[in-house]
Structure formats: structure tokens, C-alpha cells
Amino acid sequence: MALLSFPKRGAAATAPRNPAVEALLAGFSIEVMPRTAARVEDFRALLPAGTRVYIAHIAGTPIADMVATAARLRAEGFEPMPHFPARIIPDRATLADWIARYQGEAGVREALVLAGGVTEPQGDFQSSMQLLETGLFDAHGFRRLHVAGHPEGNRDIDPAGGTREVDAALTWKQAFADRTDAEMAIVTQFAFEAGPMIAWAERLAAAGIRMPVHLGIAGPAKLQTLIKFAIACGVGPSLKVLQRRAMDVSKLVKPFEPTDLVADLAARRAAGAAGNIEALHVFPLGGIPAASEWLAAHGGAAARPAARAAV
């Protein structure tokens, strides 16, 4: 990922305190890929100790690179949570091997279990539910399993639009959580409007889906970068927020930051809306250093001021 020119840490730290935002940012998680992690000299310079770091598994990434990234994060004091994308896992034996390697070589005990971004399965698995049904995560003592949520729907799952299949999948996963001892949560695709995200979380709660929600937000990035990723990831109606910004030439050259979105989410949550929202998950689309500085400036635990990642 290309990194942005971002304000110096001292300047960023002048952002006024907002207790509601700080409460929402407490316990945030962030996402990396092996190739982006390799550009960071030391994650301890950027993230607070113990941060949960998701490791995205893109089709074609060797499992050795995934496990090595997880081992490095563990050694630096973080909680690695690798993706297990069902549609790129050939068979049960491969799944068992991956789990064993993550556990034995990197001390992994958490996983994000999802269908994955490829359209056609490359092996025996089509859905995250099939991975959960193998019982392999439980057999290997994984204590926390997260699953994907889609506040704006997902056309890979519901091609005609709507949320019927997505909702049915979350209902099944809630039942799975009820009959197992796994700690489960829903982590969502990023979006750009607070209202629909809050309404979605409240609709889940009303439907009896009690798993905590970790809302996805995009970290600071160039507007063009965000639009590219938003389209590729299937972001829905909230894409219009970026499209409106693109019409304003004065804002076109400035990095987009999630400040207003997070403040809106925090205010609604503090007022009692969507009590099932537990945390935020940051997609560092403009680079991990930029996301780290934004988090530190707005109440996420500050990174070490004396060090800086080499990227």
C-alpha cells in the first residue's frame, strides 16, 4: 500500500479530547497482509501492546508467509488473528494443517472465519459455516472465532440484493455460538455512514443475534485509494459519501480521515443506540503508520513517540 504524507505526531496529538470517541476506540483492532507487514520495521513503534491484528489471507499467499507474519506479531506482543477464507482452502486436511501450523509456530488462538473474496471455491468449502462445522477450531483449542458482517449487504451472498442469505448465515452463527464455548463476534466490512451502520446493528439485536459487533472503518487514505478499495470490496450506498467528497476540488487532494464518522458513531453509541457495538476494526488502506497516527491523535492508545516504522 502506498503511504501518505501525514502530519507529524506532535501536530496530530493536538486533536481535542472526546471521551465518547476514546471509549469507542478502546480495544480497536487493525488489519495487515504479509507483504504490508514486511514493510514495518517494528509494530511496537505503531500499536499498543496486545492489539489484535488480523492477517488478511489473499488467494495465492503462501501459508508459510501467513504463519511467519503471525509468529512475528506474537513475538512483538500482539494478538494475531489470521483469516481462514473457506473458498481458497482445498480440503479438511489443509485446514487442519493450517490450524496446527498457526498454533504450533505462532501461538495463534483466534481466527476470522469467512467465505473469502473469490467467486468460485477452489476446493471443498463454500462458506464459513462449513469451516466451523468441521470442529477443527474447537479441537485445537481456539478460544475466539470472529465472523464477517455486512451492514450494506453482500452481492456475493445475496446476488439479487437484499440481506436474506446474509441474515440467515448470521442466525446460524449465533446458534453455533450458543452451542459452543467459543467467544464469537461479528467484524464488518467498512462503510462511510453512521446511520445505516447503527440501524444494521440494532436490527441484528432485534433479530436475536447477540454476538458483539466490531464495526469496520477505513483508516486515513487518499480519496482515490479509498474509492478503488470501496468498489473492489463491494461497499454499498455509503460510497456516495466519497463520491460527494470527490466533487469538492478543495478536498480532493487531502487524505480522507474517518474522524467525522467515528465521532457520529461514538455519539450515537453514547446516547444508547446499538449497545451491541463493542469495538472498531481499522482497515489501514492508506498505510499502517497513517492509521496509527490517526488513532493516537483521537484517543487510541498512543504509539511509542521515539520510534517510527521504516516502510
Side-chain angles (χ1 to χ4, degrees), residues 132-208:
L132 294 171
E133 283 178 327
T134 65
L136 289 169
F137 294 103
D138 182 57
H140 285 81
F142 272 52
R143 62 178 176 80
R144 176 173 281 274
L145 300 173
H146 287 188
V147 295
H150 305 278
E152 298 186 292
N154 184 320
R155 287 192 174 271
D156 285 343
I157 302 172
D158 287 279
T163 63
R164 187 182 69 173
E165 296 299 328
V166 170
D167 292 349
L170 285 178
T171 299
W172 185 96
K173 291 165 189 174
Q174 179 62 59
F176 178 86
D178 291 342
R179 68 176 185 265
T180 68
D181 59 1
E183 298 176 51
M184 295 188 69
I186 302 167
V187 60
T188 78
Q189 180 58 273
F190 60 91
F192 299 99
E193 278 191 299
M197 296 167 85
I198 293 288
W200 174 82
E202 292 184 330
R203 183 169 65 80
L204 293 189

Side-chain angles (χ1 to χ4, degrees), residues 196-270:
M197 296 167 85
I198 293 288
W200 174 82
E202 292 184 330
R203 183 169 65 80
L204 293 189
I209 296 171
R210 301 180 306 283
M211 290 179 286
V213 172
H214 295 197
L215 286 178
I217 63 166
K222 293 178 182 177
L223 188 60
Q224 300 95 317
T225 299
L226 276 186
I227 291 173
K228 178 185 74 174
F229 277 108
I231 292 171
C233 295
V235 171
S238 71
L239 182 60
K240 66 180 181 287
V241 173
L242 300 185
Q243 293 168 332
R244 285 198 300 266
R245 186 181 177 95
M247 301 287 288
D248 187 337
V249 176
S250 68
K251 295 179 179 178
L252 192 58
V253 297
K254 297 178 181 178
F256 178 92
E257 296 182 351
T259 306
D260 292 342
L261 170 62
V262 172
D264 194 358
L265 288 168
R268 292 170 187 252
R269 182 171 174 259

Side-chain angles (χ1 to χ4, degrees), residues 35-109:
R35 64 181 177 84
T36 54
R39 300 176 191 153
V40 177
E41 183 177 300
D42 190 340
F43 278 95
R44 290 168 292 191
L46 296 173
L47 300 172
T51 299
R52 176 176 293 118
V53 182
Y54 291 69
I55 309 171
H57 195 152
I58 307 302
T61 303
I63 187 60
D65 293 354
M66 293 291 298
V67 173
T69 302
R72 177 205 169 174
L73 288 164
R74 171 66 71 206
E76 292 182 8
F78 301 98
E79 188 65 54
M81 178 178 266
H83 290 195
F84 283 81
R87 294 175 187 169
I88 71 169
I89 300 174
D91 48 39
R92 181 187 175 97
T94 301
L95 175 62
D97 177 63
W98 287 12
I99 291 173
R101 291 189 63 179
Y102 276 125
Q103 193 171 62
E105 299 175 38
V108 169
R109 52 198 175 219

